[in-house]
Amino acid sequence: MRIGVLGTGNMADALATHWVRAGHEVTIGGRDAHKAERLATRIGGSVKPASLCAAAESGQVVLAALPFGAGADVARDLHAALEGKVLLDCSNPVGPGFRLLTEGGLSAAIQLAAAAPGAHVVKAFNLCHEDVWRMRPPVFDGRALAVPICGDDETAVARVRELVQDVGCKPVAGGGLEQAGLLEATAALFIALWVGEGADAQAIAPPLAYAAGPSHQETDGGTSAFRLG
Ligand SMILES: NC(=O)c1ccc[n+]([C@@H]2O[C@H](COP(=O)([O-])OP(=O)(O)OC[C@H]3O[C@@H](n4cnc5c(N)ncnc54)[C@H](OP(=O)(O)O)[C@@H]3O)[C@@H](O)[C@H]2O)c1
């Protein structure tokens, strides 16, 4: 796959490193040519440094590894180059006090989609810290990390599923792009638990067999506890 990366920071580094090892053709695009050059050299292999625009043009999949505040502006500038591409959004619109900056409004992913209407935006990789994405592979207690993916275009989601597997993780269907805000809110909650409380976010969910209550599991497959309305 040809992958363009927008940004030369931590997420660009962590994810591009996996994808290069998996044999993809990666172009690192930065607003600062020296930083793009430096990251491309550090990752090595066939990685090429480029401008943001050239990276967007080069990729079948384009990772926006940019701060929430910059993502939509950059996507708007590059909308022509992003036409028909998969635009992968890993951003977390989380501000001081672990506040969700999009509260009451459009999710970061939907804002990105509005900025580049010809692109197929897919949300993934936002729930864990860069150090987790640098693991080879991210496996905990023998279980591969599960990565929820939200997107509307089936082919785009299939490509991102492949990229999740290339990181050594297990893709999980997270629903359409309208669900991406839930992933962003989940990140805000997790970050507050980890950083604010020093709490183990992994411990807040029960195993699947108990998720809807063991008695429901036996009688109706666990659906009754979550009936809406
Ligand atoms: N780091 C994590 O653990 C983590 C985990 C999950 C999700 N995320 C999300 O992933 C995204 C990237 O995070 P990161 O940690 O990789 O950030 P980072 O290390 O700060 O890198 C951000 C990159 O965006 C570039 N950038 C900033 N403003 C820009 C603009 N206006 N136009 C063009 N480029 C711009 C920066 O370029 P310069 O160097 O030239 O400023 C840099 O290359 C964020 O949305 C973050 O919420 C991060």
Side-chain angles (χ1 to χ4, degrees):
M1 216 182 286
R2 279 178 284 109
I3 302 171
V5 176
L6 307 179
T8 56
N10 297 308
M11 289 296 279
D13 184 5
L15 294 175
T17 298
H18 282 288
W19 295 334
V20 170
R21 289 208 170 89
H24 299 296
E25 208 178 296
V26 175
T27 302
I28 302 282
R31 62 177 172 180
D32 179 328
H34 296 297
K35 288 186 182 175
E37 181 81 49
R38 202 161 58 214
L39 181 56
T41 305
R42 214 185 73 68
I43 296 174
S46 59
V47 184
K48 293 188 194 74
S51 64
L52 290 167
C53 187
E57 280 168 350
S58 74
Q60 295 161 297
V61 173
V62 178
L63 168 70
L66 301 165
F68 162 63
D73 288 344
V74 172
R76 201 169 296 112
D77 284 350
L78 301 179
H79 74 274
L82 292 168
E83 188 79 30
K85 310 281 176 78
V86 180
L87 181 55
L88 177 52
D89 173 30
C90 66
S91 71
N92 278 323
V94 180
F98 315 111
R99 200 168 56 85
L100 192 61
L101 299 172
T102 52
E103 188 78 63
L106 299 174
S107 68
I110 297 280
Q111 291 185 40
L112 211 57
H120 305 297
V121 175
V122 176
K123 184 103 201 176
F125 295 110
N126 69 311
L127 287 182
C128 294
H129 189 265
E130 66 192 67
D131 290 346
V132 173
W133 302 125
R134 288 181 200 280
M135 290 173 69
R136 283 193 250 156
V139 170
F140 301 95
D141 297 329
R143 285 204 310 173
L145 180 71
V147 178
I149 301 170
C150 294
D152 292 334
D153 183 89
E154 247 178 65
T155 310
V157 169
R159 282 194 184 274
V160 174
R161 286 179 70 87
E162 188 183 331
L163 294 177
V164 165
Q165 283 163 333
D166 289 337
V167 173
C169 298
K170 187 178 160 207
V172 176
L177 200 65
E178 81 284 354
Q179 300 288 90
L182 296 179
L183 289 190
E184 295 168 9
T186 302
L189 172 66
F190 281 2
I191 295 167
L193 286 171
W194 286 316
V195 182
E197 301 295 326
D200 180 8
Q202 196 185 18
I204 68 176
L208 177 61
Y210 291 83
S215 57
H216 295 116
Q217 179 72 17
E218 282 156 22
T219 55
D220 65 0
T223 55
S224 67
F226 287 137
R227 271 191 200 119
L228 304 172

